[in-house]
Amino acid sequence: MKDVLRIEGMLSKQINVLMPMIKNSEDLYRKLCDYLIHLAETFGYHEAKVKIKKYASNKNGYMDVVWFNKSGDIKLAIAVDGGLRKRSIKKLRTIKTEYRLWVYYENSKRLESFLQENDLHGKIMVINLHNIRKQIKTTSNIK
């Protein structure tokens, strides 16, 4: 999906705008999800959170952001994480869609090996925002 680069650029710009207003990691997570929900319209889709049944043995959960086309089919499933969460990858692998995106905003030293272990077929696209979580911790300590 060539739009991933566009989404990444838009997210990077938005983070620069939001950074002075973000209080903590939870606030960052919410603002990233809200912005991705807002972006759906820019790309011609509708957004929602979707419950995923049995993404792992007896586990249900919600996908952070999902973009639907006009027919109601899932076009893009998005997980947003500030850590290497297997649960998010399992949800992305389970959801029935052609495009899966993982927005990651933590230390990326182990990201490559984590993806090789948990996304064997390389079906998940990744936007690595690097360690902006650390910037938030530093900024909140200064205030």
Side-chain angles (χ1 to χ4, degrees):
M1 185 176 185
K2 65 182 180 219
D3 289 332
V4 170
L5 290 175
R6 221 171 122 209
I7 294 167
E8 184 172 17
M10 295 169 95
L11 267 175
S12 294
K13 285 179 186 174
Q14 186 65 17
I15 286 169
N16 290 332
V17 170
L18 293 174
M19 198 56 98
M21 297 177 274
I22 296 173
K23 299 172 191 112
N24 53 42
S25 291
E26 183 62 31
D27 195 29
L28 171 62
Y29 166 80
R30 275 193 308 276
K31 285 184 176 15
L32 286 173
C33 287
D34 289 347
Y35 186 68
L36 289 163
I37 287 168
H38 167 76
L39 276 184
E41 203 173 295
T42 303
F43 288 85
Y45 300 109
H46 304 281
E47 89 300 318
K49 279 196 174 209
V50 174
K51 187 166 187 173
I52 301 168
K53 295 180 181 176
K54 306 269 191 221
Y55 69 87
S57 59
N58 297 324
K59 292 197 178 196
N60 297 319
Y62 285 89
M63 196 80 257
D64 292 323
V65 179
V66 178
W67 293 3
F68 291 94
N69 63 17
K70 290 178 182 172
S71 304
D73 300 319
I74 298 172
K75 184 66 176 178
L76 176 66
I78 307 169
V80 178
D81 283 310
L84 300 171
R85 299 185 71 201
K86 288 182 183 181
R87 177 177 33 187
S88 294
I89 300 302
K90 285 179 183 177
K91 289 179 196 178
L92 283 168
R93 285 193 331 239
T94 302
I95 200 162
K96 291 177 177 28
T97 184
E98 186 177 352
Y99 300 108
R100 298 161 181 89
L101 178 63
W102 190 36
V103 177
Y104 180 74
Y105 58 91
E106 181 55 86
N107 188 328
S108 56
K109 287 180 186 174
R110 292 189 13 242
L111 180 60
E112 183 88 20
S113 61
F114 177 81
L115 286 169
Q116 287 174 354
E117 281 177 31
N118 294 286
D119 183 28
L120 301 175
H121 303 292
K123 292 186 176 185
I124 299 170
M125 299 171 286
V126 177
I127 292 178
N128 183 359
L129 299 174
H130 302 283
N131 203 353
I132 60 173
R133 193 170 169 179
K134 184 177 180 180
Q135 291 174 357
I136 292 164
K137 289 177 185 175
T138 305
T139 307
S140 64
N141 287 337
I142 292 170
K143 292 177 184 176

